[in-house]
Amino acid sequence: MKKIITLSFLLMNCFLLQAQTYKEWTQKADSCYRAQNYKLSVDFYEKAFKVENKDSGDFYNAGCSAALAQENKKALNWLNLAIDNGFEDIARMKKDNDLKSLHEDKDWKKMIARFQKKRDIIEVNYDKALQKELLDIYAEDQDIRGVAMKIYRTAGPGSKALDSIGEIMNYKDSITLIRVIKILDEKGWVGKDVVGSQANKALFLVIQHADLKYQQKYLPMMRDAVKKGNAKASSLALLEDRVALREGGKQIYGSQVMNHPITKKPFVSPLEDPDNVDKRRASVGLGTLSDYLKYWNATWDVEAYKKELPELEEIIRQKKG
């Protein structure tokens, strides 16, 4: 799910959130990036990496912040560390507007050449045609959602521009779904050893945006893929939650958040066994629900949640009735 957050909240989170752990420092850095305070974002990434420095995605994001802050040396260092720690998306790195200021740097060209050589070695046994198709699908799925996010922030909800992009998104989703169904039915849930991790993720992204009947059809296939190492357990958890809620049940991992119909504040959609949700999240590689909810400027109070949940469930029942 994409996070839609106001600039004022991002600025507040950037300056005021107290941080001690790696996750908290990177959250502050991310908030500062989205609030366009790139220099402070760089400072917080540096603090985070003093605690831990193994996540390729965080190294990449830090590189983007540093490039935008015109700290090219730090940017290139972090981007190299992203590559060394498993970052795969060379196409994204080449076209990312955040990194344009680096393109004339000789060290940028050396890094891209090193990255390409590494990818060529890793991908020698990939199904290149299938990988390309899935990467195209991935781009179709994510690019249109990036455009929608920008329109939401500028024009706001309910605008004609947002409605128009929503129609385009639905059309594009219908086309990518046809392509993914053909792949799944003919080849199964192909793993990253065949197409790479990003192309592999495209299968999940398209199915999670599909109608319930398609989610129900391919959920068992994805469960089997996780057992075989061909899909991520954390991604499966998101699909499990979506299907459970759309079928009228309760989610398991707390990945789905809604605005409470009365308070209008972010609220975890109906959840099974709230007391043990963090154990279940940890079992599939997800962080704590408390950390997850910080993105919505919300807190997790399990006792308060259990008291409020019956009222929410009754409202949902009345709407369905």
Side-chain angles (χ1 to χ4, degrees), residues 103 124 126 243:
H103 288 190
V124 67
Y126 281 7
V243 171

Side-chain angles (χ1 to χ4, degrees), residues 103-142:
H103 288 190
E104 298 306 314
D105 193 307
K106 65 180 184 197
D107 289 330
W108 164 267
K109 295 173 183 177
K110 288 180 182 178
M111 181 187 69
I112 292 297
R114 181 175 78 89
F115 195 2
Q116 187 64 63
K117 184 176 180 180
K118 183 176 182 179
R119 294 312 310 159
D120 289 343
I121 293 171
I122 291 172
E123 297 177 8
V124 67
N125 294 318
Y126 281 7
D127 183 332
K128 295 294 180 63
L130 182 57
Q131 181 193 36
K132 183 182 184 304
E133 181 174 9
L134 283 168
L135 288 176
D136 288 345
I137 290 170
Y138 181 99
E140 285 280 347
D141 183 273
Q142 294 298 288

Side-chain angles (χ1 to χ4, degrees), residues 256-269 293 296-299 305 308 312:
Q256 306 301 300
V257 178
M258 61 185 292
N259 285 329
H260 194 287
I262 295 178
T263 67
K264 307 302 180 185
K265 294 181 179 180
F267 194 84
V268 176
S269 298
L293 291 176
W296 284 271
N297 195 26
T299 57
Y305 178 81
E308 295 178 57
L312 175 64

Side-chain angles (χ1 to χ4, degrees), residues 4 28 63-64 66 94 96 110 116 122 137 163 193 199 204 239 263 273 317:
I4 300 175
K28 281 179 70 70
C64 290
K94 286 179 177 179
D96 197 326
K110 288 180 182 178
Q116 187 64 63
I122 291 172
I137 290 170
D163 289 342
D193 59 324
F204 159 71
L239 186 58
T263 67
D273 185 19
R317 277 194 293 269

Side-chain angles (χ1 to χ4, degrees), residues 148 154 157 214 289 303-304:
T154 55
Y214 297 110
L289 191 53
E303 296 304 325

Side-chain angles (χ1 to χ4, degrees), residues 54-66:
K54 297 179 180 179
D55 189 285
S56 64
D58 289 333
F59 278 132
Y60 182 84
N61 292 337
C64 290
S65 288

Side-chain angles (χ1 to χ4, degrees), residues 7-18:
L7 182 60
S8 60
F9 166 64
L10 292 172
L11 287 166
M12 178 184 69
N13 199 36
C14 175
F15 286 104
L16 299 181
L17 178 66
Q18 297 298 310

